[in-house]
Structure formats: structure tokens, C-alpha cells
Amino acid sequence: MKMINEKYTLNNGVSIPKIGFGTWQIKPGDDTFNAVSLALKAGYRHIDTAAGYQNEESVGKAIKASKVPRDQIFVTSKLESHIKTYEEALDAFEKSMQALDLGYIDLFIIHAPWPWNEMGKDCREGNVLAYKALEKVYKEGRVKAIGVSNFSKDDVENILKNCDVVPAVNQIGYFIGLDQSEIISYCREHDILIEAYSPLGIGYLLSNETIQSVAKRYHVSPAQICIRYLLQKETLPLPKSVHEDRIIQNTHVDFEISLDDMSLLDT
Ligand code: A2P
């Protein structure tokens, strides 16, 4: 089976396509509508958005316009990082539901353990309150899975200690050259899938000489090496592009990077 059609199984039994289409930094409106439409045409069946990207409505419109049945598309959205109370989290969930207008959300996650403008702030109590709101809508069946993003080991531990539902995923920045081994092994111990945002290092990795030389050996592009590397690490890459040729190229990752080359890329 082609990688773009393969799925991981989350810790609650729900299937999730192994490659997701990232929409961070794609402008709401036509840009998002067009990019998501192209992604669905190219075969992506997993779209990652967030309230904070302000493009949920355009994502929802593109999905509806695609005519791909709703149950064949996996949609993730995120609770904005500053929301750390139960009631506000429930309200925010309703807003995401309305903006997407797709009947249900597949995966809803806390965007970050602290507000973006107060990075590192201790929000343990607030994260538990927000997560309990996610548990409520999960138990009601309005979302198929819940999880977290940008959570450290301590942040995840706080949820495991104080909440009922083990997060299905932790979405973190992860790409070749960034050591995330501690949080990855901790999440793996608890059967929490790692999703990798910025898999191309926001594009910066593509001019890296080592990655370029490995790419040449496999007759693929540096972007394809970056995406394939994350899949071989058993994580879920979320590449973003607004260009059709790149959107398509990023799905063609049906080759195997050798163990030697994986080690080279690790360094
Ligand atoms: P663009 O959207 O203009 O195509 P990341 O997924 O790590 O955030 O990286 C996204 C960046 O990499 C974007 O700037 C995107 O540009 C660029 N990009 C995505 N796919 C490719 C590709 N296959 N080749 C070159 N650049 C790419």
C-alpha cells in the first residue's frame, strides 16, 4: 500500500493517516481553500488545522467541496494556547465545530501547555481543566480522539496523573537534526503517537548539504528525505505547501532510507 494511504492506530483504536497536510501559515480564504483542495486531490486524507491559524472555516469549505466522504477524511483542530479554563475550552470547542462545520472533529488537541506569549509559564492546573473539557466532548462522541501539542514530559505526566483519558497524540516540532528523543520515548511508553510539525524545518532543511547528498542517492528531493525520515521514526509528519507540485511530491515517499543513512541523518 502507498504510504499516503497507510494509517497508524491511536491508543483508543481510531485509525489516523500516517501523513497529514499541515495548514499552519496558510492564509484563511482562497489560499487555504485552494491548498486543502489540492491536497485532497493529491490523496491526502488527513488535514491539520487550528483555531489559532484562523483557517478552520476555509478547511471545512474545501473538505465539503471535495465531495470526498466525511468519514474518509481525518481532521485535527486545536484549542488556542491561552485557553486554560473548563468553560472557555468548551466554548472554544463549539467555535471550532461551527467554523469547520463538518459534524464532528476527528482529533482535538491543546495547542500548547502555555499561552504563546507566556512560554514556559506553569499552567498545570489550567491544562487539566482544559483537558477535562476535551474529555467531556470526547465522551459525548463529538470528537474521535483528544490529545496535546508542544507538551514536555512533565506536562504530559500532569495530564496522565490528573485526567482519565490518555492523550492519543502529542504534536511537537520534530525534524532531522532536532533531538526530541526524551519526549518521544516517554510518549511511546504511554502509547501516545508523536506527530511532527515543521517536518521540513519550515523549509530550512532543504538546503542542508547532508540531506541533499542523501536525497541524490535515492533519486528523491530533500523534502522527501525529511518526510520519509520521520515516518521511519514511526512519527506522523505534517508537511505544508501551497504549491501543487510540492503537495504531490510530498506524498511520494515509498522508498526506504537505509539504517546507515538514518544514522547519518541523526547526526
Ligand atoms: P510553499 O508552501 O511555498 O511550497 P514545514 O512543513 O516544515 O513547515 O515546511 C514548509 C515550508 O517548506 C514551506 O515554506 C513550503 O513552501 C516549503 N515546502 C514544502 N514542500 C516542499 C518541497 N517539496 N520542496 C520545496 N519546498 C517545500
Side-chain angles (χ1 to χ4, degrees):
M1 192 195 285
K2 283 200 157 193
M3 192 50 90
I4 191 69
N5 299 320
E6 284 197 25
K7 292 176 177 177
Y8 290 117
T9 303
L10 298 173
N11 60 18
N12 63 352
V14 168
S15 297
I16 180 169
K18 285 190 178 182
I19 301 174
F21 184 70
T23 65
W24 179 43
Q25 288 184 330
I26 308 185
K27 285 196 202 113
D30 287 351
D31 284 8
T32 296
F33 183 88
N34 292 336
V36 173
S37 302
L38 290 170
L40 292 168
K41 189 173 145 215
Y44 293 79
R45 289 294 179 268
H46 174 176
I47 311 293
D48 184 275
T49 180
Y53 305 167
Q54 295 175 350
N55 58 16
E56 288 170 306
E57 194 180 330
S58 313
V59 166
K61 282 188 177 152
I63 289 173
K64 282 181 279 185
S66 75
K67 304 275 185 260
V68 178
R70 170 68 186 95
D71 63 359
Q72 287 176 30
I73 304 179
F74 191 100
V75 182
T76 299
S77 196
K78 311 186 188 85
L79 180 71
E80 283 194 90
S81 65
H82 63 276
I83 296 175
K84 301 297 178 200
T85 67
Y86 184 79
E87 291 301 333
E88 282 175 318
L90 287 179
D91 284 351
F93 175 77
E94 296 305 335
K95 286 198 181 113
S96 283
M97 285 283 279
Q98 269 171 25
L100 282 162
D101 190 25
L102 294 169
Y104 63 91
I105 295 173
D106 292 275
L107 175 64
F108 199 66
I109 62 186
I110 298 181
H111 206 146
W114 14 250
W116 291 121
N117 59 359
E118 291 176 281
M119 267 179 154
K121 183 181 175 187
D122 181 351
C123 297
R124 270 176 286 192
E125 215 178 308
N127 284 325
V128 169
L129 296 174
Y131 196 80
K132 284 189 185 293
L134 269 53
E135 288 183 325
K136 177 181 190 290
V137 291
Y138 172 63
K139 286 173 184 167
E140 289 168 353
R142 302 177 73 205
V143 54
K144 306 279 178 205
I146 55 175
V148 297
S149 179
N150 295 297
F151 270 41
S152 68
K153 184 170 175 271
D154 286 350
D155 294 321
V156 176
E157 201 168 46
N158 174 45
I159 297 296
L160 295 178
K161 265 196 198 144
N162 297 297
C163 301
D164 296 334
V165 180
V166 176
V169 310
N170 186 11
Q171 184 179 125
I172 60 173
Y174 183 39
F175 44 79
I176 295 171
L178 183 65
D179 181 10
Q180 291 281 30
S181 49
E182 191 194 5
I183 184 68
I184 290 176
S185 55
Y186 181 75
C187 286
R188 196 151 286 157
E189 271 170 43
H190 295 277
D191 202 9
I192 299 169
L193 179 70
I194 294 288
E195 297 189 328
Y197 71 76
S198 302
L200 315 179
I202 333 173
Y204 287 108
L205 287 180
L206 307 177
S207 54
N208 177 279
E209 281 179 18
T210 307
I211 297 174
Q212 287 184 343
S213 71
V214 173
K216 258 193 197 135
R217 275 208 288 289
Y218 293 84
H219 308 291
V220 297
S221 71
Q224 289 165 311
I225 290 292
C226 292
I227 295 165
R228 179 72 206 186
Y229 172 91
L230 294 167
L231 290 162
Q232 288 186 216
K233 294 282 181 186
E234 290 175 27
T235 65
L236 192 157
L238 299 163
K240 166 261 169 188
S241 175
V242 293
H243 295 99
E244 185 166 25
D245 54 340
R246 295 173 174 177
I247 290 172
I248 293 170
Q249 182 194 106
N250 294 346
T251 68
H252 294 156
V253 287
D254 295 281
F255 59 96
E256 183 84 22
I257 304 173
S258 71
L259 286 181
D260 282 353
D261 284 332
M262 286 297 285
S263 306
L264 175 67
L265 295 169
D266 281 339
T267 62

